[in-house]
Amino acid sequence: MKLLFDRGDLRVEKIDNIKNEINYYLNKEENVKEEWIEENHPIDIAEALSELDASEINDFTKLLETEDLADIFEESEKDLQIDILKCKSSEEIIEIFSHMAADDITDILGLLPIQKRKELLRHMKQDDALVVKNLLGYDRESAGGIMTTEYLLLSKNLTTTEALNKIKKIAPDTEIIDTIFVADSNKKLVGSVDLRDILSSDDEKKLEELMDDNIIKVSADVDQEIVAQQVAKYDLTVIPVINKSGILIGIITVDDIIDVIEAENTEDLYKMHGVDEEESSDTTLLQSIKSRMPWMFINLATAFLATFTVAMFEDVIAQVAALAAAMPIVAGMGGNAGTQTLSIVIRGIALGEIDFKDNWTLLFKEAMVGVINGAATGLVTGLILYLMYGNYYLGLIIFLAMILNLLVAGMFGFLIPLFLQSLGIDPALASAIFLTTVTDVFGFFVFLGLARGFIVYLI
Amino acid sequence: MKLLFDRGDLRVEKIDNIKNEINYYLNKEENVKEEWIEENHPIDIAEALSELDASEINDFTKLLETEDLADIFEESEKDLQIDILKCKSSEEIIEIFSHMAADDITDILGLLPIQKRKELLRHMKQDDALVVKNLLGYDRESAGGIMTTEYLLLSKNLTTTEALNKIKKIAPDTEIIDTIFVADSNKKLVGSVDLRDILSSDDEKKLEELMDDNIIKVSADVDQEIVAQQVAKYDLTVIPVINKSGILIGIITVDDIIDVIEAENTEDLYKMHGVDEEESSDTTLLQSIKSRMPWMFINLATAFLATFTVAMFEDVIAQVAALAAAMPIVAGMGGNAGTQTLSIVIRGIALGEIDFKDNWTLLFKEAMVGVINGAATGLVTGLILYLMYGNYYLGLIIFLAMILNLLVAGMFGFLIPLFLQSLGIDPALASAIFLTTVTDVFGFFVFLGLARGFIVYLI
């Protein structure tokens, strides 16, 4: 990540412009001009709106055509969506929904209280309500939860001319058109055709002859992260979702996959350090405290383990206070070396690169990295402490303690995420906190334990 | 990130199957059947090949048609690509290149020694060589470095019928067809048309009337991360790249953007903890030690700052050894609280969510979270230490030290990445190491400093 400093400012300027223009419309109470809507991307308008207060948002949405409002609404963040819905009647909301895709409607209904959700579903056209109800049944983070039902599915018996005519008709209502899915007479998904092949091939060829029957697909209950791995691995722009009978029930487009990847990456980084996945720079002070405090207390409990370890050696420290000065080095270096290993393993799991059968060689490698880096840094540390305190044995025990603690750090940095994963728990979950506990406790124990063994040489 | 444990195994099984089949072909020295190639995705074949040794790879590639080899080659990891190139003559390599896109050829040439690169460029068709040479001129991590030149660009004066005829002809050679770019008579990019609009509109309509003239574009020297942010924000499947005169010189497709996002996310997580971006679970022991050791020494230097801080208070610790047991809590809690803030800020910058004008309110918020979480955990810690040691003042000073250190942790967790960014340095770069140094040094200083002030009440 390397950004130019003024990029943020440029963006801010653009949004500020739009905000000024929104204020202009608000003051004149004049309907928003169609050309203004065309000139400004709905995402940018949504971003500007989100900085206004609720009553201004309410007033401004009244100045918009429903179709334009639907575009902006679709691109808005959750908070803004809720603000907009609050000031609309059920009829107006249904009118907005009529311009939106079923998966986006489903996401929004998921945010509303059950009462309101039921009311809106009652008001919707029966067909649409059925699709949405069906989508609401899937786990939000599964393939079914992120798929959309606006796809192109044609029978394998169609000729390219017939297919092209159908495509011309259906295309405006679909999410993508460059990939067309093909079904057999039982509606089972049997292949996909590239639109360019239809365009450039013989008029009378059947789709069956053109289609690729070896397509990558997922079933509706697959976790969204695995869907993202498949899309990334096979460079797809769309992945079909099938039910247990092999019938196409939806598609997931790559722009939704990017959102999944961004969300999962944020989640990994956050969970690794005990931050709730819902937090962002927008979260209020109270929410932040609420979400972080529990982790602080878990961390406190683990920190006390380190304290109890040190407390066992208070007699040794009372005799040689220099030990208190040196002990943070052993623990801190272990924590950092372990976090290096942890980062690599957590990323490897997220990208699907770590094979379980390679486990033992990788564990051995991480342990060896620990021993060798421990020996190198331990040697330097030992020499410096020898020069600081003029005690040869102090240098020797920190040298040994560093090797042992970095060995343990490498092993646990590797084992903690894999162990969590084998239990079905997210491998990133607070891994760093558990790891630093291990390296603190073990680091203090081995260093102070060695000191007790060598105590006669230290005083 | 939540994965099923057996997912990895399933994938391994598939790759193992392909490996067995490769061995079958190798033993029979029989050319690879076309249907086998169709049944197996080139990416999976590449993955299986990468587990074989160099001579097997060499033997197997001889059994493949060049076109099939090109498909597999294109999907291979760098290491495998180099292994394959090693055993091919320049003529054979040029033959493989002839089935590949210019941007992929450019990436591969970038891996080769300059001598070999020049030789291959000499052997290539002059037109192709020119395109590749041009692409080689861009920074690898800029829009120019990741763009491809296989796009559809039509004149705005064409009618939809004329356009469709051109598209049918050019389509097989382009990366995507659902977005067609439109140029004016000066070859300047003026808009884009959705293929579905061409398909479903009146035959005699001109592209000029159909096109959207408000398109998101980037110039060639823009950093790839900013390109990725734009694509993610505006849900694009392709983004055009223009030169200084506004002429279209390439496009970037969303599958390449996913690779950028994955790479930048890995880089952020790694850099934050002092791991080199080139490392992965495949890296050899020696490479891992080489890349991580420098960071271990930087970390050691910062760890000594903590040691020097504690050493200033050795007289106090010699009198009250309990301080040595309690001091890791203050430092550790500060480190973890600060890393929570750090994670949020680094993610916020990466996702383009943090505005610089909001800085001061956010800094204030993080500082307040620190004070309140510090007070809450400090109170509990103080009580426990009071119960452990029966000393009221020990509890009081740790309570105060926790509040102050978590205040500092929140502020530095926020300021370190923004400060690095304002210097044009990657904000993730070893932020966690710098941060824990600050919280260690300050935590020890304030806790032991307070202890010195209250020393008469502690002994």
Side-chain angles (χ1 to χ4, degrees):
Chain A
M1 176 166 78
K2 207 176 283 169
L3 302 175
L4 293 168
F5 188 63
D6 58 358
R7 189 198 53 88
D9 295 333
L10 265 175
R11 188 175 69 94
V12 170
E13 206 180 286
K14 190 173 174 187
I15 303 301
D16 275 347
N17 262 342
I18 296 178
K19 229 161 59 181
N20 287 338
E21 286 160 359
I22 290 176
N23 275 319
Y24 168 86
Y25 284 113
L26 278 174
N27 290 330
K28 296 191 75 177
E29 296 191 17
E30 180 191 308
N31 280 350
V32 177
K33 288 208 192 74
E34 205 49 41
E35 65 197 275
W36 186 80
I37 287 289
E38 267 171 35
E39 267 163 32
N40 294 293
H41 199 290
I43 291 178
D44 292 325
I45 300 177
E47 209 166 327
L49 271 181
S50 70
E51 291 181 18
L52 301 180
D53 60 41
S55 77
E56 288 172 314
I57 294 171
N58 185 6
D59 291 343
F60 183 71
T61 57
K62 285 185 191 144
L63 305 175
L64 288 165
E65 300 284 327
T66 316
E67 198 176 338
D68 299 331
L69 176 56
D71 284 346
I72 296 167
F73 183 78
E74 226 174 343
E75 306 290 2
S76 302
E77 299 282 321
K78 281 184 213 165
D79 292 346
L80 180 58
Q81 286 182 330
I82 291 172
D83 277 348
I84 294 177
L85 290 186
K86 267 190 201 146
C87 58
K88 297 284 162 197
S89 69
S90 291
E91 286 72 28
E92 287 170 314
I93 295 175
I94 298 295
E95 177 65 21
I96 296 176
F97 281 178
S98 71
H99 299 280
M100 291 170 58
D103 62 328
D104 293 323
I105 299 174
T106 309
D107 288 344
I108 288 155
L109 288 180
L111 299 175
L112 297 176
I114 293 179
Q115 212 46 42
K116 184 81 182 166
R117 190 192 304 175
K118 280 189 180 159
E119 192 199 319
L120 288 173
L121 281 169
R122 253 200 323 274
H123 279 77
M124 281 170 75
K125 269 191 241 156
Q126 221 174 350
D127 288 3
D128 295 348
L130 212 69
V131 173
V132 169
K133 269 185 202 158
N134 193 12
L135 287 178
L136 278 169
Y138 295 104
D139 184 294
R140 280 180 82 87
E141 301 202 344
S142 71
I146 55 172
M147 73 186 181
T148 168
T149 48
E150 282 81 13
Y151 48 79
L152 269 167
L153 181 70
L154 301 177
S155 156
K156 64 176 184 170
N157 297 318
L158 293 184
T159 64
T160 51
T161 318
E162 290 167 335
L164 205 55
N165 284 332
K166 285 222 169 191
I167 292 166
K168 282 182 188 175
K169 247 181 266 164
I170 319 173
D173 297 324
T174 62
E175 282 253 337
I176 60 147
I177 60 156
D178 52 345
T179 305
I180 291 115
F181 295 101
V182 182
D184 64 11
S185 49
N186 298 321
K187 298 202 163 188
K188 237 177 112 167
L189 178 69
V190 290
S192 69
V193 188
D194 201 346
L195 178 58
R196 73 183 82 201
D197 292 334
I198 296 183
L199 283 177
S200 59
S201 92
D202 180 1
D203 286 355
E204 288 313 304
K205 237 184 181 162
K206 289 203 167 169
L207 290 189
E208 196 170 10
E209 298 164 68
L210 282 178
M211 77 185 185
D212 175 5
D213 56 6
N214 182 27
I215 47 173
I216 315 282
K217 47 189 183 268
V218 287
S219 55
D221 56 351
V222 167
D223 189 275
Q224 62 175 5
E225 187 166 31
I226 295 179
V227 181
Q229 282 180 0
Q230 296 288 309
V231 170
K233 182 178 175 191
Y234 295 106
D235 285 348
L236 309 175
T237 49
V238 59
I239 191 165
V241 183
I242 53 171
N243 68 9
K244 289 205 178 73
S245 327
I247 292 172
L248 184 68
I249 53 170
I251 57 169
I252 301 168
T253 51
V254 70
D255 55 317
D256 292 328
I257 290 298
I258 287 186
D259 295 341
V260 169
I261 292 175
E262 294 284 22
E264 296 282 345
N265 283 323
T266 302
E267 205 185 301
D268 281 0
L269 181 65
Y270 279 11
K271 283 203 175 159
M272 194 175 153
H273 298 115
V275 180
D276 191 273
E277 54 187 294
E278 295 292 321
E279 247 205 273
S280 75
S281 48
D282 289 338
T283 314
T284 65
L285 175 64
L286 198 70
Q287 287 171 316
S288 289
I289 290 170
K290 252 189 177 168
S291 89
R292 286 189 237 170
M293 200 174 301
W295 285 110
M296 282 288 102
F297 275 102
I298 291 175
N299 189 40
L300 184 61
T302 67
F304 263 106
L305 295 176
T307 296
F308 297 146
T309 311
V310 178
M312 297 191 312
F313 297 96
E314 269 170 28
D315 56 322
V316 187
I317 294 169
Q319 289 174 282
V320 191
L323 293 172
M327 67 185 206
I329 296 185
V330 182
M333 291 294 284
N336 277 288
T339 318
Q340 289 183 328
T341 305
L342 198 62
S343 307
I344 290 166
V345 175
I346 285 179
R347 252 343 247 171
I349 295 175
L351 297 173
E353 280 170 2
I354 289 197
D355 284 343
F356 287 88
K357 54 173 196 167
D358 293 340
N359 271 3
W360 301 112
T361 43
L362 279 176
L363 175 61
F364 178 75
K365 189 190 108 180
E366 289 302 325
M368 286 307 296
V369 172
V371 168
I372 294 168
N373 278 343
T377 50
L379 190 68
V380 173
T381 314
L383 278 172
I384 295 176
L385 286 187
Y386 167 67
L387 293 174
M388 272 174 80
Y389 294 99
N391 187 311
Y392 169 82
Y393 288 95
L394 184 61
L396 179 67
I397 64 168
I398 206 158
F399 172 70
L400 293 174
M402 291 277 269
I403 294 177
L404 287 171
N405 200 29
L406 266 69
L407 165 70
V408 166
M411 290 172 63
F412 278 83
F414 186 82
L415 291 173
I416 288 173
L418 289 181
F419 176 71
L420 289 174
Q421 193 188 21
S422 76
L423 294 179
I425 300 172
D426 186 334
L429 193 67
S431 289
I433 290 176
F434 294 135
L435 177 78
T436 48
T437 305
V438 171
T439 52
D440 276 2
V441 170
F442 186 81
F444 292 142
F445 183 81
V446 71
F447 177 61
L448 297 174
L450 283 170
R452 178 172 283 164
F454 284 88
I455 191 72
V456 288
Y457 304 106
L458 293 174
I459 44 180
Chain B
M1 176 164 79
K2 206 174 285 170
L3 301 175
L4 294 168
F5 189 63
D6 57 358
R7 189 200 52 89
D9 296 335
L10 265 176
R11 189 176 70 93
V12 169
E13 205 180 288
K14 189 173 175 190
I15 304 300
D16 274 348
N17 262 342
I18 298 177
K19 229 159 60 179
N20 286 337
E21 287 160 358
I22 290 176
N23 275 319
Y24 168 86
Y25 285 112
L26 277 175
N27 290 330
K28 295 191 77 178
E29 296 190 17
E30 182 190 306
N31 280 351
V32 177
K33 288 207 193 74
E34 206 49 41
E35 63 196 277
W36 187 79
I37 287 289
E38 267 171 34
E39 268 164 30
N40 294 293
H41 198 290
I43 290 179
D44 293 324
I45 300 176
E47 207 166 330
L49 271 181
S50 70
E51 292 181 18
L52 302 180
D53 61 40
S55 77
E56 288 172 314
I57 294 171
N58 185 6
D59 290 344
F60 182 71
T61 57
K62 285 186 190 141
L63 306 174
L64 289 165
E65 301 284 327
T66 316
E67 199 177 335
D68 299 331
L69 176 57
D71 284 346
I72 296 167
F73 182 79
E74 226 174 343
E75 305 290 3
S76 303
E77 299 281 322
K78 280 184 213 166
D79 291 346
L80 179 58
Q81 286 182 331
I82 291 172
D83 277 348
I84 295 176
L85 290 186
K86 266 190 201 144
C87 59
K88 298 283 163 197
S89 68
S90 291
E91 285 73 27
E92 287 170 314
I93 295 175
I94 298 295
E95 178 66 21
I96 295 175
F97 282 178
S98 71
H99 299 280
M100 290 170 59
D103 63 327
D104 294 323
I105 298 174
T106 308
D107 288 345
I108 288 153
L109 288 181
L111 300 175
L112 297 177
I114 293 180
Q115 211 47 43
K116 184 82 182 166
R117 191 192 303 176
K118 282 189 179 159
E119 193 199 318
L120 289 172
L121 281 169
R122 254 202 322 276
H123 281 78
M124 283 171 74
K125 269 191 242 158
Q126 222 174 350
D127 288 2
D128 295 348
L130 212 67
V131 173
V132 169
K133 269 183 203 161
N134 193 11
L135 288 177
L136 278 169
Y138 295 105
D139 184 295
R140 280 180 83 88
E141 301 201 344
S142 71
I146 55 172
M147 73 185 181
T148 168
T149 49
E150 281 81 13
Y151 48 80
L152 269 167
L153 181 70
L154 301 178
S155 157
K156 63 177 184 169
N157 296 318
L158 292 184
T159 64
T160 52
T161 319
E162 291 167 335
L164 206 55
N165 284 332
K166 284 222 170 188
I167 292 165
K168 282 182 186 172
K169 248 181 263 164
I170 319 174
D173 297 324
T174 61
E175 282 253 338
I176 60 146
I177 60 156
D178 52 346
T179 305
I180 290 116
F181 295 101
V182 181
D184 65 10
S185 50
N186 299 318
K187 299 202 159 187
K188 240 177 110 168
L189 177 69
V190 290
S192 69
V193 187
D194 202 348
L195 178 57
R196 74 184 78 199
D197 291 335
I198 296 184
L199 283 177
S200 59
S201 92
D202 181 1
D203 286 356
E204 288 313 303
K205 237 183 183 163
K206 289 204 166 169
L207 291 189
E208 197 170 9
E209 298 164 70
L210 283 177
M211 78 185 184
D212 175 5
D213 55 6
N214 183 27
I215 47 174
I216 315 282
K217 48 189 182 267
V218 286
S219 56
D221 55 350
V222 167
D223 189 275
Q224 63 176 3
E225 187 166 31
I226 295 179
V227 181
Q229 283 181 0
Q230 295 289 309
V231 170
K233 181 178 175 191
Y234 295 105
D235 285 349
L236 309 175
T237 49
V238 59
I239 191 166
V241 183
I242 52 170
N243 66 11
K244 289 204 178 75
S245 326
I247 293 171
L248 184 69
I249 54 170
I251 57 169
I252 302 168
T253 52
V254 71
D255 55 316
D256 292 328
I257 290 298
I258 288 187
D259 295 341
V260 169
I261 293 176
E262 294 284 24
E264 296 283 344
N265 283 322
T266 303
E267 207 185 299
D268 281 0
L269 182 65
Y270 279 12
K271 284 203 174 159
M272 194 176 153
H273 298 115
V275 180
D276 191 273
E277 55 187 294
E278 294 292 321
E279 248 205 272
S280 74
S281 48
D282 289 339
T283 313
T284 65
L285 176 63
L286 198 69
Q287 286 171 316
S288 289
I289 290 169
K290 252 188 178 167
S291 89
R292 285 189 239 169
M293 200 175 299
W295 285 110
M296 282 288 102
F297 274 102
I298 290 174
N299 189 41
L300 184 61
T302 66
F304 263 106
L305 295 177
T307 298
F308 297 145
T309 310
V310 179
M312 297 190 314
F313 297 95
E314 269 169 30
D315 55 322
V316 187
I317 295 169
Q319 291 173 280
V320 191
L323 293 173
M327 66 185 206
I329 296 185
V330 183
M333 291 294 285
N336 277 289
T339 318
Q340 289 183 328
T341 304
L342 198 62
S343 307
I344 290 166
V345 175
I346 285 179
R347 253 341 249 171
I349 295 175
L351 298 174
E353 281 171 1
I354 288 197
D355 284 343
F356 287 88
K357 53 172 196 169
D358 293 339
N359 270 3
W360 302 111
T361 42
L362 280 176
L363 175 61
F364 178 75
K365 188 189 109 181
E366 289 302 326
M368 285 308 296
V369 173
V371 168
I372 293 168
N373 278 343
T377 51
L379 190 68
V380 174
T381 314
L383 278 171
I384 296 176
L385 285 186
Y386 167 66
L387 294 173
M388 273 174 80
Y389 293 99
N391 187 310
Y392 169 82
Y393 288 96
L394 185 61
L396 180 67
I397 64 168
I398 206 157
F399 172 69
L400 294 174
M402 292 277 270
I403 295 178
L404 287 171
N405 200 30
L406 266 69
L407 166 70
V408 166
M411 289 173 62
F412 277 84
F414 185 83
L415 292 173
I416 288 173
L418 289 181
F419 176 69
L420 288 174
Q421 195 189 19
S422 75
L423 294 179
I425 300 172
D426 186 335
L429 193 68
S431 290
I433 291 176
F434 293 134
L435 177 78
T436 49
T437 305
V438 171
T439 51
D440 275 2
V441 169
F442 186 80
F444 292 143
F445 183 81
V446 72
F447 177 60
L448 296 175
L450 283 169
R452 177 171 283 163
F454 284 86
I455 191 73
V456 287
Y457 305 105
L458 294 173
I459 43 181

